Amino acid sequence: MIASTASTGKGPSHFGEAGHPRAQVDPLTALRTPGDPSWDVYLTGTVFLDIVFTGLDSAPVRGTESWARGMGSSPGGVANMATALARLGLRTSLAAAFGDDHYGEYCWDALETGEGIDLAPSRTVPGWHSPVTVSMAYEGERTMVSHGHEPPPEEPAPDCPPRARAAIASLTPGKRAPWIAQAARKGARIFGDVGWDDTGAWDLAGLADLEHCEAFLPNAEEAMRYTGARCPRQAAHALTDYVPVAVVTLGAEGAYAVDRRTGETAEVPAIAVEALDPTGAGDVFVAGFVTGTLAGWPLADRLAFAGLTAALSVQEFGGSLSAPGWSEIGAWWRRVQSVDGQDPAALERYGFLAGLVPEAASRPWPLRRAVPTIGFGRSA
């Protein structure tokens, strides 16, 4: 296992002034041609306003008042995934509903201006207030309280989803999402993830849109329940009867992947880090794997990169706040090479980063992207 020396400062300093990050690396630059789609990745879903309290010594106790040493705010929900993709250099298009309140304006501006995400397929809904999640991070865990209402239904525009290299879809048991088939017909490579099956059926036939997916990325428990396998690695192989690439996350053990088309298998251990807040880590993992896939990397490199980006994210508080960019990745790569006694084999596993990361960090790391209060003001 590779040793990390990443800084994990706590408290208010995690949420200093926000910048307007732009990816320093285009991982697809060698592959781009004039006839390419305008967007690398398309996704849709619900954007929440996330308010994160940090620096709590313990869980709040009923009937008492707890003071947090730090606080941050940022777009959450599907914005976690969209931000992770954009910071890794992928041209990202997002379709979502935004409230016409100040929260909605804040989230729109943070995503469009702050992260460079295309919101042309998105809409503002008059009179609809933005969904909100309050998250309290303590002892490496989190507790969340959310509130929101479904936005009014709207027929999709004829050009939505836009043409893109890939699309990321959250699959719903027993329900099809028509946009997934539409995106696939336009040539998008579909990457599917899934949440907990509250119905208890755990029936792969109920994931009808899986037939459109190139890759499926469940966690170990989900994979075993869907396949009936006794271990997650067996489950990954069983899933390739339904989808070409199966990626199963193994928590502290890392991740395992199988590609039916090439016969490749890959397993990469987790990177040892101090986990401060796991919010959004799964989204970051998927974003890293999609990036490596679109760039044409070997399966093991894709898996290692996804695990690395997720590990970097849990060292920061918040969802979209914690998504790493190439500055963080480059700083991590330089730091771990300087650790005395580092395992050469572990370093070699990440050697593919040498030709990708910026040569020198142009900004402090970790980056401070959040403002402490909505509408407080930002500097570029």
Side-chain angles (χ1 to χ4, degrees):
M1 183 174 291
I2 199 165
S4 176
T5 60
S7 169
T8 56
K10 301 179 181 180
S13 64
H14 263 284
F15 297 111
E17 60 187 21
H20 297 293
R22 288 291 185 271
Q24 294 178 292
V25 174
D26 180 359
L28 308 186
T29 186
L31 304 176
R32 299 195 186 279
T33 65
D36 286 344
S38 298
W39 306 110
D40 296 325
V41 186
Y42 167 81
L43 66 165
T44 184
T46 302
V47 172
F48 285 73
L49 170 71
D50 281 357
I51 300 174
V52 184
F53 290 97
T54 70
L56 291 163
D57 294 322
S58 62
V61 178
R62 181 178 178 179
T64 67
E65 181 179 15
S66 299
W67 278 82
R69 293 189 294 274
M71 180 186 126
S73 53
S74 68
V78 72
N80 294 340
M81 182 80 75
T83 300
L85 293 162
R87 290 183 182 173
L88 293 178
L90 297 186
R91 300 170 185 176
T92 303
S93 183
L94 171 65
F98 291 78
D100 65 349
D101 50 17
H102 189 54
Y103 294 169
E105 294 174 359
Y106 167 84
C107 289
W108 186 293
D109 180 64
L111 294 173
E112 184 178 60
T113 304
E115 305 293 347
I117 295 167
D118 168 52
L119 297 181
S122 294
R123 60 191 171 112
T124 297
V125 180
W128 180 65
H129 76 76
S130 301
V132 176
T133 292
V134 175
S135 176
M136 292 162 282
Y138 53 88
E139 299 174 354
E141 298 292 340
R142 68 190 189 278
T143 297
M144 296 182 289
V145 178
S146 298
H147 175 70
H149 300 284
E150 288 291 328
E154 180 184 68
E155 290 297 321
D159 58 349
C160 189
R163 185 167 165 256
R165 295 175 188 264
I168 299 174
S170 182
L171 307 183
T172 303
K175 184 179 179 180
R176 283 188 180 271
W179 75 265
I180 297 175
Q182 294 169 13
R185 285 195 295 270
K186 292 182 179 181
R189 303 163 71 176
I190 311 297
F191 295 78
D193 64 8
V194 70
W196 191 257
D197 186 355
D198 292 325
T199 70
W202 297 103
D203 181 10
L204 278 169
L207 298 179
D209 285 322
L210 195 60
E211 67 180 1
H212 302 297
C213 293
E214 172 176 329
F216 184 43
L217 300 95
N219 64 33
E221 185 66 22
E222 293 160 350
M224 289 188 291
R225 285 179 179 265
Y226 271 117
T227 62
R230 294 185 178 181
C231 84
R233 293 162 186 80
Q234 291 176 352
H237 285 273
L239 286 170
T240 58
D241 289 341
Y242 300 85
V243 66
V245 179
V247 180
V248 177
T249 55
L250 309 175
E253 294 182 36
Y256 183 80
V258 183
D259 189 330
R260 181 187 70 207
R261 297 164 303 187
T262 65
E264 288 178 279
T265 62
E267 182 166 2
V268 176
I271 297 173
V273 295
E274 179 186 357
L276 297 184
D277 183 0
T279 305
D283 294 325
V284 172
F285 181 93
V286 173
F289 190 81
V290 170
T291 300
T293 300
L294 294 185
W297 300 349
L299 184 63
D301 289 355
R302 286 181 264 162
L303 206 59
F305 186 71
L308 168 60
T309 54
L312 292 177
S313 77
V314 303
Q315 296 177 94
E316 297 291 315
F317 290 110
S320 63
L321 294 177
S322 67
W326 287 100
S327 289
E328 289 95 335
I329 295 166
W332 175 86
W333 175 236
R334 285 186 292 274
R335 287 192 183 197
V336 296
Q337 292 179 86
S338 66
V339 175
D340 292 337
Q342 190 68 269
D343 180 3
L347 283 177
E348 186 178 355
R349 171 61 272 162
Y350 297 89
F352 65 93
L353 292 174
L356 288 168
V357 298
E359 292 186 2
S362 59
R363 301 176 66 184
W365 177 74
L367 298 185
R368 315 299 190 201
R369 289 189 172 104
V371 292
T373 306
I374 299 166
F376 184 75
R378 297 173 306 194
S379 61

